[in-house]
Amino acid sequence: MIRSELLAAIAQENSGLRAEEVEQVVDVFFEEISERLAEGGRVELRGFGAFSTRERQARTGRNPRTGEKVEVPAKRVAYFKPGKEIRERLNG
């Protein structure tokens, strides 16, 4: 599902909202998750899952085009852990 499909699905379920209002709600939702993760926090949506960050160590990688070794710096990456209900739906 892409962003426009998400907006359309929410608009269909909430006919009382204008398209601009639906888009604003989705923007705020994703912005709040992004801000919390940037602060090093965690976002938990009961029944769906939890967003957090993980630390990746610096390492030596390889450029796939040239085969040349490249130093990859340490960084934080977003991580999603699905909740129990999502796992059960996926694994029937």
Side-chain angles (χ1 to χ4, degrees):
M1 173 178 273
I2 60 174
R3 189 175 194 281
S4 60
E5 293 171 336
L6 176 62
L7 292 172
I10 293 172
Q12 185 176 3
E13 292 286 325
N14 298 281
S15 59
L17 295 176
R18 295 187 332 266
E20 299 82 26
E21 293 171 326
V22 171
E23 190 165 357
Q24 186 177 13
V25 168
V26 171
D27 288 343
V28 168
F29 180 77
F30 288 127
E31 184 61 32
E32 288 298 317
I33 291 175
S34 299
E35 283 182 25
R36 182 67 58 171
L37 292 177
E39 295 169 357
R42 172 183 161 97
V43 177
E44 183 175 330
L45 304 171
R46 298 283 170 146
F48 182 70
F51 296 90
S52 60
T53 58
R54 290 193 172 177
E55 298 288 328
R56 292 261 172 98
Q57 299 293 325
R59 62 185 177 83
T60 302
R62 186 181 64 83
N63 181 333
R65 186 171 287 174
T66 64
E68 175 184 354
K69 290 186 178 184
V70 178
E71 292 301 315
V72 179
K75 59 186 169 185
R76 288 185 346 183
V77 295
Y79 175 75
F80 176 74
K81 180 179 179 184
K84 181 181 177 184
E85 292 176 28
I86 294 290
R87 286 192 312 268
E88 288 173 353
R89 283 183 82 172
L90 293 175
N91 297 307

